[in-house]
Amino acid sequence: MTAFHVRRPALALLALGTGIAALAPAIAADAPPVPHKVAFDRYSMTLDGKPLYVWSGSFHYWRLPSPDLWRDVLQKMKAAGFNAVEVYFHWGYHSPKRGVYDFTGIRDVDRLLDMARDAGIYVIARPGPYINAETDAGGFPNWLVATAGKPRSPSPDYTAAYREWMTQINRIIARHQVTDGRGTVLLYQVENEFYDDSPDGQRYLQDLEDEARADGITVPLFGNHNENFFEGLGALDLPGFDSYPLDFDCTRPARWNAVYDFSHEREKLTRWPLFFPEYQGGAFDVWGGPGYEACRKLTGPEFERVFYEATMASGSTMQNFYMTYGGINWGWLSSPGVYTSYDYGAALTASRQLTSKYDQQKLLGYLTQTVAPLARTDARAATAAENPRVRVTRRVNPNDGTQFYFLRHADASDTTSDATHLTLAQAAGKPLVVPQQPGTAIRLDGRDAKVLLADYALGAQRLAYSTSELLTHVRQDDRDVAVFYGRQGEDGETVLRFDAEPAVKVVAGQVASHWDAGTHTLRLNYRHDGLARVAITPKAGGALFVLLADNDAAVRFWRLDTAAGPLLLRGPHLARTAALSGGAVALAGDTDAATDLEVFAPRGTQAVTWNGLPVATTATPSGSLEGHLDGPAPVTLPALDTWRVHDAAPEIAPGFDDRAWQATDRTSTPNPYWNKALPILDSDDYGFHHGNVWYRGHFTATGKETGIRLSASLGVHLGNHGIFTAWLNGHFLGNNPSGSQQFPIDPAWLKKGADNVIAVLVDNHGHLQEEKNGAFREPRGLLSAVFAGATTAIHWRIQGNRGGEDLPDAARGPFNAGGLYGERMGWQMPAFADAAWATATLPRHTAQPGVEWYRTDFTLDLPKDQDVPIALRIHDDAPHRYRAVIFINGWQLGRYISDVGPQTDFELPPGLLNPNGKNTIAIAAWSTAQDGGLGQVSLVMQGNYRTSLRVAPVTAPVK
Ligand code: IPT
């Protein structure tokens, strides 16, 4: 035929098997380390010489401060076919003060990496030092703000600072590498999105690489620096591309941009696989934004299918999705602009729940982990589809001839439903037009895409082609069990080669079979609708059991790899782990309702347990075992009826004693962003880096002061929603959300010749992310205060979080605390005695700007084997002007702005929330105008699952 034809060796000679190299089997903690050779060629990574298809998702442990939930996320990822997790390590999260590092409790990353090993999932480590990630200062520690030295450069000050972090984190990562077999760290990223390839930029990157090697990192070093650092000083072992084709505007969720074809980049990479350290997995949302369900819609299952398959079609074998679990910007973790939830519209919600995006990820993930030849393919010309609206891309494995046909609409955003035939190249003979069954076609209904296989060694079977997609297949004893799927109501055709006509038995559903003696092929024709089953018994060789599913039925299958071979399950909401020994299968997972459980296991398997309890099973005509699993018991949550309330801004009163506060007496700062105004008011210079900050300015009035211009740095140019409120001798001057305002002074408020006090409360919405000129050092807090009508001097004092960089509560750490009076007094803590406070009910409105604290207790007694994600909801009938800081058992888990939004539900992760005992909510409500207060507060159940997950309480001080 054409020059593009590839000769295919006899299928029986194929040695690639079923993706074994791609699976990271769980390594027992006590197993002796087995070193592995990690390398790559122009196709893919290789592990001990075997091609590895890297299918990875991003997860930030620091956005989930309850370590047992890390295991939950890792298991859920593994169950969806991810073989890797990509993790940013956050310098600032571990270092509250220069020279102080914490890797315990919720910061125990050794434990995180052990969990990844136990879950059998590779780790793509990204320790920075700069990480971006919509977090405060892009992950730089707060103490770096008030230092000199160009960030992300070889400047000596900056170098000395980051070395503290790199040596510590590198040594931890080095203990968990695949290369020496002691863990599953597979790759190491140097810096993040770094495009400065000036001599300084190159030197900086090279320094980081040298440091990593000196600290014992032996896995390949890579970057997500697009086309930079391919060669020369600072060159990486492996380059990588980041791609967010739909960008981050979720306001119009039906909007799609064009699919970018990475074939061009693929061709340029003569020595490397095409690697996406970040491919769009969702989008972050902003204060006042449309909310995360809009982002999840924008980047929904259709997007995943069309765009992720397009990168496969361009030859990528390494793809990480940012994010797969986004999590929570608890405390003051977020960078300006983004709010508490970092749900990201990802496959897993911030409350760790599976979505339809997860289902779609799983359909593709299983393919990448099952079909080994996909890790090594070349682009080959394809015959155009019969229907010109359909675009066909073809790739072929040069070793075994497996063919991949990628189908989508030529205009990816096309929403028409189109039918087509596809022309398959054949190793011998004329091209074959499929489907062959008259009256049927391949359908692309709207924003859909398909990966079709031809000439594939499916276990011991020979798949000629299928117009259905392959989910997975397992070999058990001498039988292959394969699952194909298609959209509900669409036709499918699957054709297999046999030497002689096999016996065919349709066990369930409607499937027509046709033996073609001339081509030695068995053709199955069917319509995808629920689940059909076909048992095929060849005259010689092992049997094949074919499951033909629609998408809904397909996602109920779970593949679990055990040391004794793979298992296939059907039914439950989630299957986490499996162990197989001596005829017994021990399974663990979750149910969201009562369900069937079907287990395809090796012959001789009799006993099945689920979450430790025996399951009565019967043998089925499918050669499987079938049983029943219970769903969760119903749960009700307590109402939050009575509250305690206390006035909480004594700083406003002129007589408040601020003598213990720091005077703003600094006259110089190493921070190059200093505006040269004196006194220096930047809260970072006084060790207050996060949360609200109070300023009290004393002055002796002349009586001529007619107004005061107050300027603060609120980062408003980023659509940020910082604010400050100010009082003069207890009289409310007003609020300002834009940064600078002149407030008139009523002469009657002034005490001529005596001490007068201006009190200013500033909302610090975090430090900017960094690019290259030190933007993260932009000052925070008050910048200046100037009277109109007089030149009266003001002597300021400042108070932020208690202890500044010397944290009284190291367990919760630097991002948990702010400088509100109640926070400084420990009113957020569970053991605080509030019995003397007044009682109140919610909602409550106030005309008095200021701060009030509310507290209440509630008791939960949830079933021990259930996972019930719970959120705290604030509801306002109409937006009032207040901002609430929400604490559960001392943990700051939310910031709510009534007049900005959009977030109203704040996740309370188990481990911080006590599901079997008393819990304390404390809410600081800062009324920024005369229409403040606090809305209705309730607990909402986001889901209910019976589970094997067990969550230990996170220990932290209670007072
Ligand atoms: C990319 C960053 O590397 C990542 O940390 C995160 O900030 C992401 O953006 C957006 O969520 S940078 C890329 C969009 C230029």
Side-chain angles (χ1 to χ4, degrees):
M1 277 232 12
T2 69
F4 297 111
H5 246 310
V6 172
R7 285 192 61 81
R8 182 167 53 82
L11 281 163
L13 296 178
L14 295 180
L16 276 172
T18 54
I20 297 308
L23 298 165
I27 302 168
D30 52 0
V34 181
H36 295 284
K37 187 168 183 316
V38 180
F40 44 84
D41 59 23
R42 66 177 296 270
Y43 293 106
S44 70
M45 289 200 73
T46 58
L47 195 63
D48 299 326
K50 284 189 191 155
L52 180 72
Y53 198 111
V54 176
W55 188 257
S56 174
S58 286
F59 161 58
H60 302 156
Y61 64 90
W62 38 277
R63 285 186 160 124
L64 190 58
S66 179
D68 283 317
L69 301 183
W70 302 343
R71 180 184 300 108
D72 182 42
V73 170
L74 295 174
Q75 287 183 343
K76 282 171 175 165
M77 288 181 62
K78 171 82 177 178
F82 289 99
N83 65 344
V85 60
E86 189 178 270
V87 179
Y88 273 139
F89 297 85
H90 189 304
W91 181 4
Y93 192 69
H94 295 270
S95 181
K97 186 179 183 179
R98 184 150 204 159
V100 178
Y101 287 83
D102 186 343
F103 295 97
T104 63
I106 60 170
R107 295 174 181 76
D108 186 349
V109 290
D110 251 319
R111 188 165 171 211
L112 170 77
L113 295 172
D114 281 346
M115 284 182 184
R117 175 202 61 201
D118 295 346
I121 195 161
Y122 294 119
V123 176
I124 301 177
R126 309 208 291 171
Y130 180 73
I131 61 170
N132 212 63
E134 290 74 67
T135 188
D136 184 277
F140 281 153
N142 49 43
W143 52 263
L144 195 69
V145 173
T147 61
K150 184 172 151 71
R152 310 178 84 185
S153 85
S155 107
D157 291 319
Y158 173 67
T159 305
Y162 80 63
R163 284 215 169 124
E164 284 187 5
W165 161 246
M166 295 313 316
T167 49
Q168 302 231 20
I169 193 67
N170 284 347
R171 280 176 202 156
I172 295 175
I173 294 170
R175 291 201 280 270
H176 300 266
Q177 299 179 93
V178 172
T179 32
D180 62 16
R182 293 200 295 157
T184 48
V185 173
L186 181 71
L187 291 165
Y188 176 107
Q189 181 178 306
V190 182
E191 248 284 348
N192 187 75
E193 287 265 355
F194 189 69
Y195 303 141
D196 176 8
D197 63 355
S198 69
D200 262 7
Q202 293 184 358
R203 180 73 258 160
Y204 169 51
L205 225 58
Q206 188 62 52
D207 287 349
L208 286 169
E209 292 163 30
D210 294 346
E211 167 94 43
R213 292 302 185 212
D215 292 339
I217 301 297
T218 52
V219 295
L221 306 181
F222 77 95
N224 60 343
H225 317 313
N226 297 343
E227 298 199 356
N228 301 292
F229 304 105
F230 277 27
E231 54 196 15
L233 191 68
L236 291 153
D237 298 329
L238 188 61
F241 296 82
D242 284 357
S243 179
Y244 291 82
L246 298 189
D247 62 67
F248 306 100
D249 175 5
C250 304
T251 54
R252 286 173 298 125
R255 164 188 71 86
W256 267 28
N257 298 331
V259 174
Y260 178 79
D261 182 0
F262 278 93
S263 310
H264 171 72
E265 283 74 8
R266 169 60 284 174
E267 288 321 302
K268 272 210 214 165
L269 301 171
T270 49
R271 295 185 281 134
W272 303 291
L274 176 57
F275 176 21
F276 294 96
E278 289 179 35
Y279 196 90
Q280 184 153 26
F284 60 82
D285 191 27
V286 292
W287 286 108
Y292 279 114
E293 284 319 308
C295 299
R296 197 157 5 254
K297 202 161 171 219
L298 175 72
T299 60
E302 286 121 350
F303 164 76
E304 296 178 305
R305 269 199 302 256
V306 172
F307 284 78
Y308 301 175
E309 289 179 16
T311 60
M312 288 182 183
S314 64
S316 171
T317 56
M318 301 181 72
Q319 204 171 0
N320 173 77
F321 303 96
Y322 187 100
M323 302 291 302
T324 294
Y325 171 81
I328 308 165
N329 286 314
W330 66 282
W332 298 91
L333 261 177
S334 60
S335 60
V338 298
Y339 50 90
T340 303
S341 180
Y342 197 70
D343 176 284
Y344 219 83
L348 291 165
T349 65
S351 53
R352 304 170 286 105
Q353 297 184 84
L354 319 187
T355 66
S356 58
K357 288 185 65 174
Y358 176 93
D359 293 344
Q360 179 58 49
Q361 280 278 4
K362 178 175 156 188
L363 296 177
L364 290 176
Y366 277 28
L367 176 79
T368 67
Q369 302 308 298
T370 301
V371 180
L374 186 59
R376 234 181 126 73
T377 61
D378 292 309
R380 288 286 178 262
T383 306
E386 161 202 51
N387 183 335
R389 297 181 82 92
V390 175
R391 176 189 152 122
V392 182
T393 310
R394 175 174 168 236
R395 300 193 72 85
V396 178
N397 180 296
N399 303 97
D400 67 11
T402 306
Q403 302 194 67
F404 300 87
Y405 289 86
F406 299 87
L407 273 62
R408 65 170 171 89
H409 272 117
D411 168 0
S413 60
D414 195 337
T415 53
T416 57
S417 176
D418 284 289
T420 193
H421 282 79
L422 174 68
T423 305
L424 300 179
Q426 299 244 77
K430 288 205 313 262
L432 183 66
V433 177
V434 304
Q436 301 177 63
Q437 174 73 20
T440 67
I442 299 170
R443 185 158 291 280
L444 268 185
D445 188 356
R447 292 172 167 180
D448 200 357
K450 292 179 179 177
V451 190
L452 305 183
L453 279 169
D455 300 324
Y456 171 58
L458 187 156
Q461 316 294 329
R462 294 169 292 165
L463 176 72
Y465 68 88
S466 178
T467 67
S468 304
E469 292 173 274
L470 180 69
L471 178 71
T472 191
H473 55 91
V474 294
R475 185 154 180 80
Q476 293 169 337
D477 307 311
D478 56 354
R479 180 170 90 146
D480 290 294
V481 180
V483 186
F484 291 89
Y485 66 96
R487 316 298 168 257
Q488 204 274 333
E490 292 187 9
D491 292 321
E493 181 169 285
T494 296
V495 175
L496 295 139
R497 293 181 206 281
F498 295 97
D499 293 333
E501 182 176 5
V504 177
K505 181 162 186 271
V506 177
V507 178
Q510 289 187 353
V511 181
S513 70
H514 171 82
W515 172 251
D516 183 334
T519 57
H520 288 264
T521 53
L522 175 74
R523 173 155 59 83
L524 304 177
N525 283 98
Y526 46 88
R527 183 158 285 179
H528 291 284
D529 186 12
L531 185 62
R533 301 162 183 252
V534 185
I536 301 171
T537 315
K539 294 227 159 58
L544 171 63
F545 194 75
V546 184
L547 294 146
L548 301 164
D550 61 17
N551 275 47
D552 286 351
V555 299
R556 303 302 289 206
F557 280 96
W558 301 96
R559 178 197 169 114
L560 294 165
D561 289 282
T562 76
L567 293 173
L568 188 67
L569 259 60
R570 188 188 59 78
H573 179 72
L574 171 70
R576 295 172 185 267
T577 60
L580 191 57
S581 75
V585 176
L587 302 168
D590 296 17
T591 53
D592 59 347
T595 178
D596 293 341
L597 170 70
E598 184 172 7
V599 185
F600 291 88
R603 246 196 316 273
T605 304
Q606 286 149 356
V608 174
T609 60
W610 178 263
N611 297 345
L613 298 172
V615 181
T617 58
T618 51
T620 75
S622 300
S624 59
L625 296 171
E626 204 160 41
H628 170 89
L629 301 176
D630 291 334
V635 162
T636 52
L637 299 180
L640 306 175
D641 290 329
T642 38
W643 293 78
R644 298 274 181 183
V645 64
H646 201 276
D647 181 58
E651 297 93 338
I652 297 170
F656 177 80
D657 183 357
D658 61 18
R659 281 171 300 175
W661 291 15
Q662 285 186 61
T664 59
D665 51 6
R666 305 224 160 172
T667 53
S668 71
T669 168
N671 185 351
Y673 260 74
W674 177 34
N675 63 357
K676 301 288 184 251
L678 284 174
I680 294 173
L681 293 173
D682 180 349
S683 62
D684 286 302
D685 278 303
Y686 300 92
F688 304 123
H689 303 294
H690 307 296
N692 301 307
V693 177
W694 276 100
Y695 291 84
R696 296 185 93 247
H698 294 260
F699 65 97
T700 306
T702 62
K704 294 191 184 124
E705 295 82 3
T706 55
I708 184 163
R709 172 165 292 280
L710 295 171
S711 301
S713 178
L714 306 171
V716 284
H717 46 283
L718 265 187
N720 188 18
H721 288 274
I723 199 166
F724 69 84
T725 49
W727 291 262
L728 173 60
N729 291 337
H731 301 280
F732 187 54
L733 287 170
N735 70 51
N736 181 279
S738 68
S740 184
Q741 187 171 334
Q742 179 150 324
F743 300 95
I745 293 175
D746 181 338
W749 297 347
L750 292 171
K751 290 179 272 178
K752 204 171 148 185
D755 182 39
N756 293 259
V757 178
I758 305 160
V760 185
L761 176 57
V762 189
D763 192 349
N764 173 358
H765 264 213
H767 302 93
L768 294 176
Q769 298 189 102
E770 181 49 24
E771 278 174 18
K772 54 183 178 181
N773 293 316
F776 79 103
R777 292 186 169 128
E778 188 183 84
R780 286 293 174 258
L782 210 53
L783 290 178
S784 66
V786 181
F787 281 113
T791 54
T792 317
I794 308 174
H795 301 281
W796 290 97
R797 289 184 178 276
I798 182 173
Q799 179 65 58
N801 63 294
R802 186 154 65 95
E805 291 177 3
D806 296 302
L807 300 176
D809 178 0
R812 294 187 181 87
F815 291 96
N816 196 63
L820 293 174
Y821 184 80
E823 291 179 282
R824 288 164 9 230
M825 297 296 128
W827 292 0
Q828 70 278 20
M829 291 301 206
F832 175 75
D834 59 16
W837 290 18
T839 55
T841 55
L842 292 175
R844 213 166 88 110
H845 293 177
T846 168
Q848 184 81 44
V851 186
E852 287 181 311
W853 276 65
Y854 296 82
R855 285 175 51 99
T856 195
D857 290 339
F858 64 92
T859 302
L860 293 175
D861 189 18
L862 303 177
K864 295 249 177 3
D865 59 349
Q866 288 184 206
D867 178 16
V868 183
I870 293 170
L872 180 144
R873 173 173 295 170
I874 301 188
H875 172 75
D876 279 295
D877 284 328
H880 299 282
R881 278 181 285 173
Y882 72 89
R883 10 197 98 193
V885 186
I886 302 160
F887 295 89
I888 182 87
N889 300 329
W891 296 86
Q892 201 262 67
L893 292 180
R895 293 183 290 133
Y896 171 83
I897 308 182
S898 173
D899 47 331
V900 176
Q903 190 176 2
T904 57
D905 291 5
F906 298 85
E907 277 79 25
L908 310 177
L912 307 184
L913 185 74
N914 180 359
N916 297 98
K918 190 181 136 187
N919 293 278
T920 303
I921 300 172
I923 299 178
W926 171 17
S927 297
T928 51
Q930 283 86 351
D931 56 346
L934 178 61
Q936 183 71 49
V937 177
S938 58
L939 298 174
V940 289
M941 186 164 66
Q942 298 167 304
N944 186 8
Y945 308 92
R946 194 180 282 270
T947 182
S948 59
L949 178 71
R950 294 294 180 273
V951 183
V954 177
T955 45
V958 295
K959 55 176 203 245

